[in-house]
Amino acid sequence: MVRDGAVIGEGFHAELGDLHAERAALKDCAERGEDPRGATMYVTLEPCAHTGRQPPCVEAILAAGIGRVVIGSEDPSEKASGRGPGMLRDGGVEVELAAGGEATAARLLNQPFRKHARTGLPLVTLKLAISLDGRTTTAEGDSPWISGPESRDLVHRWRAESDAIAVGIGTVLADDPLLTARGSDAARQPIRVVFDRQGRLPRDSQLMTTLDQSPVLVVADEVEAALADLGRRGITSLFLEGGRTLAAAFLASDAIDEARTFVAPVLLGADAPRAGGGGAGGSSARAESAEGEASSLHTHDPCARSRAQRQEGPPAPPTGPARRAALSRAIEQVGEDVLITARFKEW
C-alpha cells in the first residue's frame, strides 16, 4: 500500500490457509502504526469476494477505507470472475486494472493458480541438465553431476516452491533419490510423486523410509489421468525432474508448460546417453536432480542401475507434434552453467 509516494504496508500470501496478501499488507500497515485510509493498494491478483480458508479480502479493504486499488490480473476462477472489483466499485473504491508489462508480470507470477483455476490441472515445469555434447547422464564411475553446485542449489529452491515433484520408477530404482528440498530454508516440502505402473517402488527406498518428511504418491495412470487426479488433490504446480521416459510421455501428451534446462560446460563423451536419444532407460536422478547425500547415489544392489534402465526402456516416440515453439525464453548464467528457461503456455 502506498500513500503520498511512501510504502505504508506490504504483504504476500505465504502459504495455503494463511492470510491473503491484502490482509497481510493491512496487518503490516497496522504494525507500522500507519493509517491505510485513503491509500492506494497494489495487488497482483484481484481481491477475493468469497469465503474460503480466509474471509473475503474485499471486506477488509472496504473496512480499512482504502481509496484506490490497482489490480495486476483478474482471477479466472468461477467463484471470483470480477466479483471483487465490482464490489469495491460499489463501495466507493476507485479500481484500476493494470496493462502492458505490469499486467503480464502479474499473470506470470500466478501461473500455477491461473492454470488450476481454468483447467483443474497443475502447472507442469520440466527440469533438465545436459552437457555440451547433449548427454543427460554421466558414465558409471564418473562424477554423478552434470550441473554445478549453484544450479543444484537453485533446484532445491524450485522444489520448495512447488506443490509436488515427480520422477519415474526407473529413476527411483537406479538412484534411490530423496527428492526433498534441502539447504533452502524451505517452510514446506513438496509431495513426492512416482510414476510406477507395475508397483515396483521398494519399501526400503529413501522415499518410503522418509514419509515423516513428505508424503509419497504412487501413480499408475497415464499422464492425463494422473494430472487430473493431482489437480483434484489441490496440487497446482508439478516439478518434473526425471527421467527421459517420463519427460517424453509428458511431451507426447502436450502437458509441459515450461522447461528449465541447465547446459553445463562439460563434454561427457560416447559412454553417456544423449538427451532424447535411444538406448537404455530414463535420465536418472544422478544427472538431473539435486540429490546431495552419497547414499542417494547408489541402490542396495550394485546391478540395480543397469537393470532398472533396461526395465524402464527407451522413451516411446511422441505422438503429438515433434516440435514446440516457446512463447517466451530467457537465458542466464548460474555459476558455470547456462540456464535456458522456455515457457510454452501462458494461463
Side-chain angles (χ1 to χ4, degrees), residues 251-315:
L251 180 63
S253 297
D254 193 25
I256 297 175
D257 298 292
E258 181 177 307
R260 301 171 184 174
T261 303
F262 293 104
V263 182
V266 296
L267 297 172
L268 296 180
D271 291 335
R274 284 188 180 275
S283 174
S284 75
R286 293 180 52 187
E288 290 193 349
S289 74
E291 297 306 318
E293 296 86 346
S295 62
S296 70
L297 304 180
H298 305 281
T299 57
H300 301 292
D301 180 348
C303 298
R305 177 181 174 84
S306 59
R307 187 165 59 243
Q309 288 180 330
R310 289 196 300 272
Q311 288 171 336
E312 189 172 19

Side-chain angles (χ1 to χ4, degrees), residues 13 15-24 48-60:
H13 187 196
E15 60 180 318
L16 189 66
D18 204 352
L19 291 177
H20 287 183
E22 296 90 335
R23 289 181 177 270
C48 64
H50 60 278
T51 298
R53 293 180 176 88
Q54 290 287 323
C57 290
V58 166
E59 293 180 356

Side-chain angles (χ1 to χ4, degrees), residues 316-328:
T319 57
R323 182 183 180 91
R324 287 166 174 78
L327 296 177
S328 63

Side-chain angles (χ1 to χ4, degrees), residues 59-321:
E59 293 180 356
I61 293 172
L62 292 173
I66 297 294
R68 177 170 171 257
V69 176
V70 179
I71 299 173
S73 64
E74 84 288 358
D75 184 335
S77 59
E78 291 184 10
K79 56 189 174 184
S81 190
R83 288 182 59 211
M87 292 175 64
L88 290 175
R89 291 189 181 98
D90 291 344
V93 178
E94 179 186 351
V95 176
E96 179 182 338
L97 300 179
E102 290 82 6
T104 299
R107 286 197 305 272
L108 295 182
L109 279 175
N110 290 304
Q111 286 295 287
F113 170 80
R114 293 177 65 83
K115 181 180 180 182
H116 190 264
R118 286 183 169 183
T119 68
L121 305 176
L123 189 82
V124 177
T125 300
L126 171 66
K127 191 273 297 180
L128 298 169
I130 65 173
S131 64
L132 290 176
D133 52 345
R135 312 291 174 171
T136 60
T137 306
T138 61
E140 286 295 329
D142 196 0
S143 167
W145 306 120
I146 292 179
S147 56
E150 295 86 355
S151 298
R152 299 197 295 273
D153 288 343
L154 184 55
V155 169
H156 278 292
R157 195 182 81 189
W158 290 340
R159 287 181 178 180
E161 294 171 350
S162 302
D163 290 341
I165 176 174
V167 296
I169 185 60
T171 294
V172 176
L173 295 176
D175 298 301
D176 193 21
L178 190 56
L179 301 181
T180 55
R182 301 185 297 282
S184 60
D185 298 324
R188 63 169 186 166
Q189 292 291 341
I191 295 173
R192 297 168 292 178
V193 179
V194 180
F195 281 76
D196 178 17
R197 293 186 188 178
Q198 301 177 24
R200 293 182 287 153
L201 179 62
R203 292 186 178 182
D204 61 350
S205 65
Q206 288 201 100
L207 291 174
M208 296 302 292
T209 57
T210 57
L211 294 177
D212 58 324
Q213 297 185 33
S214 174
V216 173
L217 289 178
V218 178
V219 177
D221 293 324
E222 300 292 337
V223 170
E224 295 88 345
L227 290 177
D229 181 67
L230 293 175
R232 285 190 292 270
R233 294 171 182 267
I235 293 174
T236 64
S237 56
L238 181 66
F239 193 50
L240 194 61
E241 280 207 43
R244 284 188 295 131
T245 301
L246 188 61
F250 271 74
L251 180 63
S253 297
D254 193 25
I256 297 175
D257 298 292
E258 181 177 307
R260 301 171 184 174
T261 303
F262 293 104
V263 182
V266 296
L267 297 172
L268 296 180
D271 291 335
R274 284 188 180 275
S283 174
S284 75
R286 293 180 52 187
E288 290 193 349
S289 74
E291 297 306 318
E293 296 86 346
S295 62
S296 70
L297 304 180
H298 305 281
T299 57
H300 301 292
D301 180 348
C303 298
R305 177 181 174 84
S306 59
R307 187 165 59 243
Q309 288 180 330
R310 289 196 300 272
Q311 288 171 336
E312 189 172 19
T319 57

